Amino acid sequence: MTVRRPILALLLALALSAAALPAAASAKLKPCPSSGSGCTLARVAAETGIFVGTAISNQATATEKADITANFNAVTSENAFKWSEMSKTAGATDFTTTDRLVAWARAKKLRLRAHTLFWHRIQNAPWLKAELAASPNPSARLRQLIAERTAKVVGRYRGKVAIWDVINEPLALFGAGYDTEDSSVTPKNIFYTTLGESYIADAFGLAHKADPKAKLFLNELLWDSRIGDPKSDALLALVARLKKARVPIDGVGIQAHAMLGTSSPWFPSSTPSLKRYIDALGKLGVKVEITELDVRLPLLADQPNPLAAQAAVYRRVASACAQARACSGLTVWGQRDSYSWLDSYSLTSATAPNSPLLLDAGGKRKLAYQAVAAGLLERRR
Ligand code: G3I
């Protein structure tokens, strides 16, 4: 009977395709143990729904890229999207590095955080100050430059960048206001001194227009993200003002660089206080991500086991993210201890190697790696 042959062919095709399935695909992966042991952070991300990322440098080596794809499901551009990196002269934008990064992240199916459109303190456009000084109307000129950069850069990567750090560190480095005096460590916030706080709302509105689907974050360097800490409270108030003004802000990045003295109040003090702080931001209607976590090992040299103490700090932060529903991601600021910005930064290079990350210089997982896994897995319970 002719009808039988097609059915037989179909059954044969189905049998062959099932046999072709790789074993891993058919055997269901066992869930990670609550200790995180034996699980990559990418597996932990899949099981918890919390993105786990790392910063990728412009000069990322093949080894660093392999570390990233083996361990994480998200990346943040360490420098590529900064104004100084993209525009060495007024009116010119070089997309070479950012095009390469966006293409690589998409090819590797890594969620990309583009960091950052506007940061007054470091790596701002080197020509901006002179440009505004030469303009008869600096505020109009600055508004025009912010609009041009945002439309050009966000528009170019429409649909390809998941999160934009639209504004980085708007608040004063040490304090609750804005940098208004020019000093070597804390140059004035030229965006704020020229346009007032409105520059923040303008930048978010323009970014939303250029890519309505991208999530828009404000990223801040807090020393101890805690209600009652003046800078942390100032950030809460700023976000509340932006939300009240219906500014299209989707999230807040808490950088969480654990880089100053552990005795100072500026060190991730405890899981409950960080969780309470993330919850307070969440109540304002924004997502929260830990965006630049690293922990300077020399700060813990007086501990009986510095690597275990470092892991405990990482655990504190990861647990807080897992316990606070608004926390959607955790990013560490690098892969291996062989490269960290801390080893060349003026305030921390004296204690190099700072060994702040999750993989040692040889790429081996440190205690901190499993501590992050275990901390994030608290969400699964
Ligand atoms: O691009 C220039 C290059 O042209 C030049 O030849 C070279 C030598 O001087 O310098 C290169 O610029 C360096 C840049 O990184 C890109 O590699 C700067 O000197 C260097 O200072 C800059 O450091 C970056 C730092 O931000 C600037 O403050 C770090 O890599 C980066 O990890 C760090 O990241 C920041 C976040 O963006 C925001 N939060 C704080 C965090 C730490 O400062």
Side-chain angles (χ1 to χ4, degrees):
M1 264 177 79
T2 49
V3 72
R4 266 212 310 255
R5 190 167 297 152
I7 292 173
L8 284 175
L10 176 65
L11 288 174
L12 181 62
L14 284 173
L16 287 172
S17 62
L21 270 180
S26 50
K28 189 155 168 32
L29 283 172
K30 276 200 314 182
C32 292
S34 55
S35 67
S37 163
C39 274
T40 65
L41 291 173
R43 273 283 307 285
V44 169
E47 291 199 14
T48 58
I50 300 170
F51 280 95
V52 188
T54 181
I56 180 165
S57 85
N58 294 353
Q59 302 78 23
T61 63
T63 301
E64 286 162 335
K65 287 180 178 176
D67 286 340
I68 293 170
T69 52
N71 293 287
F72 302 95
N73 71 338
V75 283
T76 299
S77 54
E78 182 180 24
N79 291 297
F81 277 96
K82 292 171 181 173
W83 210 348
S84 64
E85 296 292 308
M86 296 186 78
S87 176
K88 304 291 184 195
T89 53
T93 302
D94 180 351
F95 291 107
T96 311
T97 306
T98 48
D99 282 354
R100 190 175 62 232
L101 169 58
V102 169
W104 180 78
R106 282 172 67 80
K108 299 300 180 186
K109 296 186 174 32
L110 293 164
R111 186 200 72 169
L112 177 60
R113 299 186 85 260
H115 170 82
T116 180
L117 287 174
F118 301 106
W119 184 20
H120 75 280
R121 187 167 304 122
I122 310 175
Q123 297 171 288
N124 198 353
W127 44 265
L128 183 63
K129 210 168 175 179
E131 183 75 14
L132 297 186
S135 168
N137 187 336
S139 53
R141 182 68 181 128
L142 181 54
R143 274 199 196 90
Q144 184 188 26
L145 289 167
I146 288 174
E148 283 169 0
R149 169 163 163 79
T150 307
K152 210 173 352 179
V153 177
V154 178
R156 184 183 182 91
Y157 301 110
R158 186 184 176 113
K160 297 178 180 174
V161 168
I163 294 178
W164 283 96
D165 276 347
V166 175
I167 304 286
N168 186 61
E169 300 176 37
L171 299 175
L173 193 56
F174 302 101
Y178 290 89
D179 291 325
T180 52
E181 305 298 326
D182 259 329
S183 80
S184 59
V185 177
T186 55
K188 72 179 177 183
N189 180 337
I190 193 169
F191 302 114
Y192 174 76
T193 55
T194 307
L195 296 173
E197 193 170 87
S198 69
Y199 87 95
I200 299 177
D202 291 353
F204 274 90
L206 290 159
H208 182 67
K209 192 167 161 229
D211 186 350
K213 289 208 170 62
K215 296 302 178 194
L216 306 179
F217 272 58
L218 185 152
N219 191 47
E220 189 52 85
L221 172 60
L222 296 176
W223 303 105
D224 180 12
S225 317
R226 173 177 50 81
I227 293 168
D229 166 64
K231 188 171 182 180
S232 304
D233 289 348
L235 178 59
L236 276 172
L238 170 57
V239 173
R241 287 196 299 276
L242 295 173
K243 291 301 279 185
K244 188 164 180 241
R246 307 179 68 76
V247 169
I249 176 172
D250 301 294
V252 169
I254 299 175
Q255 294 181 11
H257 287 293
M259 57 184 275
L260 295 184
T262 52
S263 55
S264 78
W266 293 334
F267 198 76
S269 52
S270 76
T271 296
S273 66
L274 179 52
K275 179 203 178 293
R276 273 196 301 275
Y277 187 72
I278 297 173
D279 287 343
L281 282 165
K283 282 195 186 77
L284 294 174
V286 291
K287 283 290 181 194
V288 179
E289 300 218 352
I290 303 295
T291 51
E292 304 183 15
L293 183 54
D294 47 22
V295 181
R296 267 178 80 204
L297 191 62
L299 292 178
L300 302 161
D302 59 341
Q303 298 294 313
N305 181 339
L307 285 171
Q310 182 184 52
V313 179
Y314 268 106
R315 176 68 189 259
R316 280 209 289 273
V317 179
S319 297
C321 178
Q323 294 171 28
R325 299 311 301 185
C327 188
S328 55
L330 182 146
T331 293
V332 291
W333 208 240
Q335 297 83 50
R336 297 187 180 196
D337 286 341
S338 42
Y339 166 72
S340 164
W341 70 283
L342 289 163
D343 292 345
S344 51
Y345 182 53
S346 56
L347 298 181
T348 53
S349 54
T351 56
N354 286 286
S355 309
L357 298 168
L358 303 180
L359 301 173
D360 69 16
K364 188 167 166 290
R365 295 180 193 176
K366 297 158 64 178
L367 294 174
Y369 187 105
Q370 193 166 319
V372 170
L376 293 178
L377 284 163
E378 289 176 29
R379 170 148 318 169
R380 208 182 42 190
R381 288 190 213 112

